[in-house]
Every structure is written in C-alpha cells, then in structure tokens.
Amino acid sequence: SVFISYLKNYLLPKKEDFLRDILSNENSTLKQKAEALRQIKLNNFSETISLTAYCLMDNHFHLLVKQTSADGIDRFMNSLMTRYTMYFNRRHKRVGHLFQGNYKAVIVETEAQLLHLTRYIHQNPASKGHAFQTYPYSSYQQYIFPKHLEWVKPEEVLSYFSRQGFNSYASFIGDAYSYDSLQIISGLTLNESN
C-alpha cells in the first residue's frame, strides 16, 4: 500500500550520511542521486512521534501515535495527508480534497484506554467481514510475531502481556468486546462501527 509506504518513509529514521554519500559518489547514477536528494528533502518524524498501532480500512484509518513534541502529530498528519492526497489525485486524475474534514485526535489518558484502543484498532477489520488476524493493512502482525518493523513501536503495549498463553496479547485481542471495554474507550473513537 502506498499509504503504508508513506508511514514507513516518515517514521523510519533518516540515514542522511548514507544519502549524502550517494550524492557525493561519482559512481552514483543520476537516478540514484535524484532519489537520495528527494529522501533528504522529505519530512521525517522519527524523532517527534512514534506509531504504536495502525489499521487502514477502505474508507478510513486508525493511527495510535505518541508524540514527543507539542506539534508533532499535527505536522505529521498535515504532511501525510497532503502527500497522500496529491498521490491519489494524480493517480485518479482528479482534484480537490480526499478526506472529509480534519482528522480526529484524542488523548489517551490511562493504561486501560491504551490497551483497549489497540484491541479496537486491530479488531476493526472484523467489522467489515475480514479476519483481523491476517488482515494485511494492520499492525496486528507486529504484535504477534517477535520480528517487528522498525517504524511500528508496540513495545509499550506488549510490556503488559506475556509472550504466549492466557495472558498474551493474542489472547487479549481475541476476546470479544465487552460493555466494559467499550466504556473504557468511549470518547476515543468516532463511533462503534468504525
């Protein structure tokens, strides 16, 4: 997915020394140099935000993001939405806005909200008839298998669970929502059907 590739570009630490070496190397092709220059100019948010969980659906997406600077999420979302809208409009020969209104951001205040929100995000594909365990546009696999993508940061959430068994993250997310779970995250989601 192009959207996921943009997340990766924005959230992986930029290797500027490597990119500058490409620019200064006489053996680098013009195409390599152009790509290195593009990567150097590209915004990078690896120092200001971390992505805890995500799920991309047909008509919406969920990102659970932790910021380390006051405007980190705003800058990230503005850059991501602008870039993706430009790509989408170019690809589909259209103009104008792609998303309806501004994104919704809420503050996660408790550990319980954090844990139950990741469950909500990862189970979201099931609301559209997809198996959330194998859904390809979600960070769920990063929580289950020990090899994580460098740009997804599940460690804080996983620290509350054992690796396997009854108290594992897989066991937690496999449980159906309860009324208590929905109460814990009420106000953090747009509505229960998303």
Side-chain angles (χ1 to χ4, degrees), residues 117-183:
L117 191 55
T118 63
R119 180 187 342 197
Y120 173 82
I121 289 170
H122 289 144
Q123 284 185 345
N124 208 251
S127 70
K128 303 294 184 195
H130 302 287
F132 73 84
Q133 300 90 336
T134 57
Y135 190 71
Y137 308 109
S138 161
S139 58
Y140 178 69
Q141 295 292 317
Q142 308 316 310
Y143 279 70
I144 301 306
F145 297 107
K147 185 174 183 179
H148 300 295
L149 297 174
E150 194 178 339
W151 52 277
V152 178
K153 309 289 185 191
E155 295 80 14
E156 182 177 357
V157 171
L158 290 176
S159 71
Y160 293 95
F161 300 95
S162 64
R163 189 47 98 183
Q164 297 177 348
F166 178 73
N167 191 31
S168 69
Y169 185 78
S171 175
F172 171 73
I173 194 172
D175 291 340
Y177 277 126
S178 65
Y179 178 76
D180 290 342
S181 181
L182 291 174
Q183 287 297 103

Side-chain angles (χ1 to χ4, degrees), residues 20-39:
R20 292 191 190 290
D21 286 346
I22 291 173
L23 290 174
S24 64
N25 186 336
E26 61 188 43
N27 294 325
S28 296
T29 66
L30 287 176
K31 185 176 179 180
Q32 289 171 324
K33 288 182 179 188
E35 178 59 21
L37 187 59
R38 188 183 74 75
Q39 288 293 326

Side-chain angles (χ1 to χ4, degrees), residues 8-15 39 41-48 75 79:
K8 179 181 174 182
N9 285 156
Y10 283 138
L11 298 174
L12 266 179
K14 195 184 291 190
K15 297 178 174 126
Q39 288 293 326
K41 290 180 179 180
L42 188 65
N43 288 333
N44 188 273
F45 300 94
S46 63
E47 298 293 320
T48 57
R75 289 179 40 248
S79 189

